[in-house]
Amino acid sequence: MPGRGFSDLGYARVDTHRERRQGLPEVVYAPGKAVEEIVGIVQVLLDRSNGPVLVTRIEPDVAEAIRNRVTGAHTDADAGILFWRPAEPRPFRVAIVTAGTSDGRVAHEAAAVAKAIGLDVRLYRDVGVAGIHRLLAEADAIAEADTVIVVAGMEGALASAVGGLVACPVIAVPTSTGYGAALEGLTALLAMLTSCAAGLTVVNIDSGFGAAMAAHRLAHAATRERP
Amino acid sequence: MPGRGFSDLGYARVDTHRERRQGLPEVVYAPGKAVEEIVGIVQVLLDRSNGPVLVTRIEPDVAEAIRNRVTGAHTDADAGILFWRPAEPRPFRVAIVTAGTSDGRVAHEAAAVAKAIGLDVRLYRDVGVAGIHRLLAEADAIAEADTVIVVAGMEGALASAVGGLVACPVIAVPTSTGYGAALEGLTALLAMLTSCAAGLTVVNIDSGFGAAMAAHRLAHAATRERP
Amino acid sequence: MPGRGFSDLGYARVDTHRERRQGLPEVVYAPGKAVEEIVGIVQVLLDRSNGPVLVTRIEPDVAEAIRNRVTGAHTDADAGILFWRPAEPRPFRVAIVTAGTSDGRVAHEAAAVAKAIGLDVRLYRDVGVAGIHRLLAEADAIAEADTVIVVAGMEGALASAVGGLVACPVIAVPTSTGYGAALEGLTALLAMLTSCAAGLTVVNIDSGFGAAMAAHRLAHAATRERP
Amino acid sequence: MPGRGFSDLGYARVDTHRERRQGLPEVVYAPGKAVEEIVGIVQVLLDRSNGPVLVTRIEPDVAEAIRNRVTGAHTDADAGILFWRPAEPRPFRVAIVTAGTSDGRVAHEAAAVAKAIGLDVRLYRDVGVAGIHRLLAEADAIAEADTVIVVAGMEGALASAVGGLVACPVIAVPTSTGYGAALEGLTALLAMLTSCAAGLTVVNIDSGFGAAMAAHRLAHAATRERP
Amino acid sequence: MPGRGFSDLGYARVDTHRERRQGLPEVVYAPGKAVEEIVGIVQVLLDRSNGPVLVTRIEPDVAEAIRNRVTGAHTDADAGILFWRPAEPRPFRVAIVTAGTSDGRVAHEAAAVAKAIGLDVRLYRDVGVAGIHRLLAEADAIAEADTVIVVAGMEGALASAVGGLVACPVIAVPTSTGYGAALEGLTALLAMLTSCAAGLTVVNIDSGFGAAMAAHRLAHAATRERP
Amino acid sequence: MPGRGFSDLGYARVDTHRERRQGLPEVVYAPGKAVEEIVGIVQVLLDRSNGPVLVTRIEPDVAEAIRNRVTGAHTDADAGILFWRPAEPRPFRVAIVTAGTSDGRVAHEAAAVAKAIGLDVRLYRDVGVAGIHRLLAEADAIAEADTVIVVAGMEGALASAVGGLVACPVIAVPTSTGYGAALEGLTALLAMLTSCAAGLTVVNIDSGFGAAMAAHRLAHAATRERP
Amino acid sequence: MPGRGFSDLGYARVDTHRERRQGLPEVVYAPGKAVEEIVGIVQVLLDRSNGPVLVTRIEPDVAEAIRNRVTGAHTDADAGILFWRPAEPRPFRVAIVTAGTSDGRVAHEAAAVAKAIGLDVRLYRDVGVAGIHRLLAEADAIAEADTVIVVAGMEGALASAVGGLVACPVIAVPTSTGYGAALEGLTALLAMLTSCAAGLTVVNIDSGFGAAMAAHRLAHAATRERP
Amino acid sequence: MPGRGFSDLGYARVDTHRERRQGLPEVVYAPGKAVEEIVGIVQVLLDRSNGPVLVTRIEPDVAEAIRNRVTGAHTDADAGILFWRPAEPRPFRVAIVTAGTSDGRVAHEAAAVAKAIGLDVRLYRDVGVAGIHRLLAEADAIAEADTVIVVAGMEGALASAVGGLVACPVIAVPTSTGYGAALEGLTALLAMLTSCAAGLTVVNIDSGFGAAMAAHRLAHAATRERP
């Protein structure tokens, strides 16, 4: 079955070629999967790949049950992440910038995933544009990063402000912070997509994971051999 | 009929008490009205009130036809405004700030209406957040205004940036500038309503007129006798 | 660090220049923040500013925990507000008008915040347009205010009716009262933005806080020295 | 074929039992139909029923072409209506109330259809809530009608105001008048459906025709023999 | 205070002229009101009007608490209705037709309110168009009603089918029955508004109450003295 | 009553002609129905038809209560299905293909219903396009089916990939798997409807039942006598 | 290049394996393609496949230009279809049923494509549910088809009515016929997806082509050899 | 004025520090700007920066008028681009992959902008997933790029397929290609944001320009000196 590039567990077809194609094993999204299923998938990944193995959006009790079944697990409770075999640190710096304290949960997920896969993470919290001097005070530090992840809910204006200040790639993560016209993150999403700052890119609402994986792609491209 | 507070022209019931209640005669919205109808309404307003009489969103040929019928008209072609008896200047300063050159049409409408009703207008164009230093360079001047009208399309982030810098009332006008996820102004509208800068208020998409009328209400309240 | 205008607590960057720029210290939005975090932010604000310090949308148990940690707190339980150092009364009158009894929660938030920052609040409840004589009976009293906050859910028609009766600024607050086509407040929001009464401005759904802060900006502008 | 209750023209199956079931022959909606098709359908209706035959939303040139082919046509150009054999007047009074001059087109369609089917129409134009005294001045006259059709765009608040003043059935017609957040009539539609005035009913955006047909159903029910 | 037409309880301004204007006292919507508030309002209505007094959407425990405080209450638990002084039966027949068993809750509300205000209600349940012969078997009975209320969720097609079969007024009530693309009733609402059967009218999603009140308006108009 | 084609239980009008018209008795949707009501309907169906009788979306405790009342029931707990008299196997093969492990619940409903009505079901789980080799490895097996049901949430791209690989009918079932911009299945629904693979058809979000019934129609058409 | 299964023209990669995989060559969608591009693609398809070659949604002048360049073209102007080598008739009957005369354009596209690929098409026009007897009169004839395509705009109720009457597969095509709340076909689309008639499937708005291709898949499955 | 970092032309405040901050001068978006305005802005950019100067979305006649005023312009008519001083080629390869021929316009914009700023562009057109072998045949070539821009309308599934095959950054550009449920590009946008392939990022609908600028950020980061 190795020749087929996946392992068929019945409830899941684990993509065992993912690491070869993309530099990282498949990441497991916990919601909707039973403990048995997660354990089964993780074991295949540990057996048939070499890199870090991650489970995201995992509830504490599920995480505990799995830790008891598969040794060697690391946990980041705030971020809802369980992982094995964290990657060696890579010299690729990711600045994670948040608009408000309430966006912390999403920023944690981005940071925890990025660290587990070896990226060098710096966190800049609560620098929303209602007090723009807070961002300007950190602008030079942020601009030194290899990529910036901007995490913001409500109107998401921080993405535009950061996008105008730095030259490197900016990955905007809209969050569901806010109420009413915030439309559970849709407003921030639409706003980031229509930013007046050119060249921003956007991932799904609350997807700290998606932003970290986009950073992984960037790090992979930036650090590979170039002719 | 004066006792009823309106004049019934059949196709329109002109509110002749509006000036007494709100300090300004009724303003005429041109789309969907025939030249004859606009002429009739304007003449009632000129006869039965004392303040400025305005027609908004008027096409050049309609404006020309009306000018030929009712003497004393002033025109602001860029803004699509026709008016009679402009008000005396009042010492109430309105800063109109725009995010980009393309928002000019809406800013013109706001400026033209505000001037016709006697407000002291200053225009600050193209200070969008993609180059935030442009706004910061004007921040002190803008902060001296009695009220600020922020005109911005796309993601509308300028409203949040201005809202964080000034203490006075901020009236945000979303515009339909942009494409795709800008959703013809809805994105800017929703973003302004969920701004992280507290105390902003918002008017309808592209409604330079609405913003100017809100400024009129502010000027009216700020300049009346207070015990 | 005072020179930077903010205080970095790690989980928050408290904007200590806010009072200087806008006449009020930063207001703390409780949801998504831990008790420890709120206590930390409040203490910085009490130490480094002079005006009223507020926490909004706070749950009773969180409020209790904080009161035990930071002395001098005042509570308005109906409004979900906790505050310190209420402002001196200012002679700026705010009429808060509600369409129905069910809009009371939002009106309470607006009233409590407005009072804490020193405004002179008058409440007119349950004057919806289905029995327009109730509004007309209060129209003269309402028209004497310096600004009117209209709180209405469902179709939000009260904002238009009030807007046509008074000359002063009208801040419309759509609420999520209603069901089905009320779309959790979106219908009232859209209706208020397209009101036939000129010069209304609108804040986010259920944002009694936002309306009170807009009133603060008006009071600030109306009562400052004018040449 | 009479036994089947319809006449099959290939491109149309004319419902020749409609008049028997509902008191009126089928009404022809012109858009998307060729002149030949409209002529064919009208002739079947004239031949096989006794009541008024109407074509709605017809362009002037199409109307002209049809008039040349089928004698006895009446035209109401403003309303875009072509009809034959108008009904005898019935003592059922319909008050059509409009919010603004721009809603006239839809009100015309409602009035023209209602008259052609024999209803007693009274028109009250431009009584929007921004000057509520205009409506109050006519309230007693309107309340005498057997049913009221309220035609309003933008925020549609007039429907609620009228609904609170009269006891008879109120049919609300939202119009596409307005721009931006008016969403081409959707805002007025949603607002009317969530009116605080109980017992309003609503028809489709811009459907003056639908409102007139609803009035026909009311007239039919009110004037039939009751035990 | 009688001269003003309302009674001001602080938390509510009870419209004591409603019965005179519209033939029924104000109806109390329970959600968001405290027991004390409902009791207060009901007592004013019982004191100052003569007709039936209703409270809708009331939870069983709240209903029980109120029954203990205000004597003479009747309850319809399935419909969530509490009422006093039911009206004398009137010879106005309302057929309530439902698409499926799951729409029963909304149909119950319509039926209970209609009965309490004196209408003659007949219920036809589960006659959805997937088995159209079920509707056709009852069509003659339904057509004898003075008005038909059609209650349907999902795609709401029953309204069109009934609308094509009967001549009397049809009030369509979309329900939130269904999932996914049913969009919590919005799909049925939009479908009913665009029905190919002419002259249907529509009320808000799940508003059995609204439909009954629309029927009240019809009964009021149909049974008043006509010249 | 047999001649009428339905059985009137008061709360339900059971369509007893359904099996004759469509080859299957009516299927009972449990939500919103009481145990008594389900029991009553099931008994009519068992008495007056011959084929399989199914109840879908049933909670375990309701299923248990019914099993105690109506003998002979089969249960598929994962799928929420209760049924009697499963059909004889028919040689019509249905391939059910899922994008991810989380779509299993919907796939189970489709599979359980399809089996109960006699179809030959093969399940291919977790072959989403992020690792397209997993699908390609099964493509030949899938292409041998008589019809394919594709179950996918998030962006639903699997439907397009399968649609391009097989010649037989493809029924796409969008699921509510995902968060944020997945919009509870609307995104997958819209994406499947605009697939670049021609001739796909789509059923409602999460409607495994709908897909199985569409397969029943296909099996019925494919296996009937053809001239 | 044959081994790759496509032919690379630079502006297009023609899928020359499509016929082998799916029984029909690729169909060309004209909008957005230049005459030269369409000619190039058609020639590859004529050279490298054996079945019918179609171009859809083609404007008359573009069609004329192509006919002059590629011999042997057939045109169906009403349907906007250009095709070569129509298929041999197959004994698979498709009933196309339309709600109104205005849905004709979409029905024409479905019929023209279906005929060109060899299906046996019967058209039943204008049998909308507002006069349900028109549909019932044809129900037996329609039920004899191998599949039914229902074409309906506005509220799309015809799909549910037909779905309840026939046992064979029903492919529902929503059309953009209607205005206001019809939302350019979205309302019909959503309504068809939530039909109370089980087992309907739906294609994109106005996609007569999509429905015909779904019928092709059905015909392919129904007529292949079965063990 | 150089010290301020911008040049104030009245109608525009040209950001003359942009090149220093982000490695490229400001890019001019033509719609809504007069020829005079574009000329003025371009001249400031040519005078005060060194890199390429671009105008996007320019109509042919406007482009011609500007070429006559400012010497040295290059034009890419298909892409609607006018530019001066194209950048030196950089060894950063961008693969632009399109789903269909109709997405060409957007791909052209991306390609033209990317080339003008010095990136090494390879175009792979018409490799949509309906014939997945076309993509697989090019997968190795595409995987060698430093970044991939995927341009796709309709359901946008190509982004997921490419995202699963390559390791480098993937920038997805939804296009407005398609009709009906494609919702002018919104469906593709939402689908791309919820892709099952991890780490994709998305830009605005039809924004070939935005994708090219995102690639510029990537190239800037990848090619700068790293410690």
Side-chain angles (χ1 to χ4, degrees), chain C residues 101-102 123-127 130-134 137-138 178-184, chain E residues 4-6 10-13 15 18 21 26 29 31 33 37 57 186 189 204-205 207:
Chain C
T101 306
S102 310
L123 204 50
Y124 302 84
R125 295 185 63 179
D126 197 21
V127 294
I132 194 82
H133 59 295
R134 298 177 298 187
E138 307 287 10
Y179 56 89
L183 298 178
E184 299 180 25
Chain E
R4 302 173 73 194
F6 61 88
Y11 54 84
R13 244 160 258 247
D15 181 354
R18 187 74 57 93
R21 288 200 317 277
E26 202 175 346
Y29 178 70
K33 297 200 181 71
E37 292 175 345
R57 304 243 167 153
L186 266 182
L189 174 67
N204 195 9
I205 296 165
S207 187

Side-chain angles (χ1 to χ4, degrees), chain E residues 33-108:
Chain E
K33 297 200 181 71
V35 168
E36 284 308 304
E37 292 175 345
I38 298 173
V39 165
I41 297 168
V42 164
Q43 280 174 332
V44 168
L45 291 168
L46 289 171
D47 288 354
R48 310 221 357 223
S49 65
N50 302 306
V53 171
L54 287 89
V55 184
T56 64
R57 304 243 167 153
I58 194 159
E59 297 297 324
D61 56 334
V62 177
E64 182 62 20
I66 292 170
R67 290 172 65 93
N68 292 338
R69 301 278 303 276
V70 190
T71 60
H74 302 248
T75 312
D76 185 323
D78 282 356
I81 301 286
L82 194 66
F83 58 99
W84 291 259
R85 299 190 312 219
E88 289 298 301
R90 286 187 277 173
F92 188 87
R93 188 181 300 176
V94 178
I96 300 180
V97 183
T98 78
T101 305
S102 310
D103 300 314
R105 181 179 42 83
V106 177
H108 272 128

Side-chain angles (χ1 to χ4, degrees), chain H residues 5-212:
Chain H
F6 60 88
S7 178
D8 189 351
L9 301 174
Y11 52 84
R13 243 160 260 246
V14 186
D15 181 354
T16 51
H17 275 190
R18 186 74 56 94
E19 188 174 27
R20 190 183 312 170
R21 289 200 316 278
Q22 310 198 313
L24 267 188
E26 202 175 343
V27 175
V28 185
Y29 178 70
K33 296 198 181 72
V35 167
E36 284 308 303
E37 293 176 346
I38 297 173
V39 165
I41 296 169
V42 165
Q43 280 173 334
V44 167
L45 291 168
L46 289 172
D47 288 354
R48 310 228 345 230
S49 65
N50 303 306
V53 171
L54 287 90
V55 184
T56 64
R57 304 247 167 149
I58 194 160
E59 296 297 323
D61 55 334
V62 177
E64 181 63 21
I66 293 170
R67 290 173 65 93
N68 292 338
R69 299 278 304 276
V70 189
T71 58
H74 302 247
T75 311
D76 185 323
D78 282 357
I81 301 287
L82 194 67
F83 59 99
W84 289 259
R85 299 191 310 220
E88 289 298 302
R90 287 189 274 173
F92 188 87
R93 188 182 298 177
V94 178
I96 301 180
V97 183
T98 79
T101 305
S102 310
D103 300 314
R105 180 180 43 82
V106 177
H108 271 127
E109 188 183 76
V113 172
K115 283 177 194 161
I117 61 176
L119 306 181
D120 173 15
V121 175
R122 311 285 165 97
L123 204 51
Y124 302 84
R125 297 184 63 177
D126 196 21
V127 294
V129 298
I132 194 80
H133 58 296
R134 297 177 299 186
L135 173 62
L136 297 175
E138 307 286 10
D140 290 346
I142 294 169
E144 283 173 16
D146 291 297
T147 195
V148 183
I149 293 172
V150 181
V151 180
M154 300 167 85
E155 92 285 42
L158 181 61
S160 294
V162 171
L165 291 170
V166 306
C168 68
V170 177
I171 302 161
V173 190
T175 74
S176 52
T177 302
Y179 55 89
L183 298 178
E184 301 180 21
L186 266 181
T187 294
L189 175 68
L190 293 165
M192 287 164 167
L193 284 161
T194 54
S195 174
C196 57
L200 300 197
T201 60
V202 184
V203 297
N204 195 11
I205 297 164
D206 288 339
S207 187
F209 165 70

Side-chain angles (χ1 to χ4, degrees), chain E residues 101-102 123-127 130-131 133-134 137-138 178-183, chain F residues 4-6 10-13 15 18 21 26 29 31 33 37 57 204-205 207:
Chain E
T101 305
S102 310
L123 204 50
Y124 303 85
R125 295 184 64 178
D126 196 22
V127 295
H133 59 296
R134 298 176 297 184
E138 306 286 11
Y179 55 89
L183 298 179
Chain F
R4 302 173 74 195
F6 61 88
Y11 52 84
R13 243 160 259 246
D15 181 354
R18 187 75 55 94
R21 288 200 316 280
E26 201 174 344
Y29 177 70
K33 297 198 180 71
E37 292 175 346
R57 303 245 167 152
N204 194 10
I205 296 164
S207 187

Side-chain angles (χ1 to χ4, degrees), chain D residues 127-144:
Chain D
V127 294
V129 299
I132 194 82
H133 58 296
R134 298 176 298 185
L135 173 62
L136 297 174
E138 306 285 10
D140 289 347
I142 294 169
E144 283 172 17

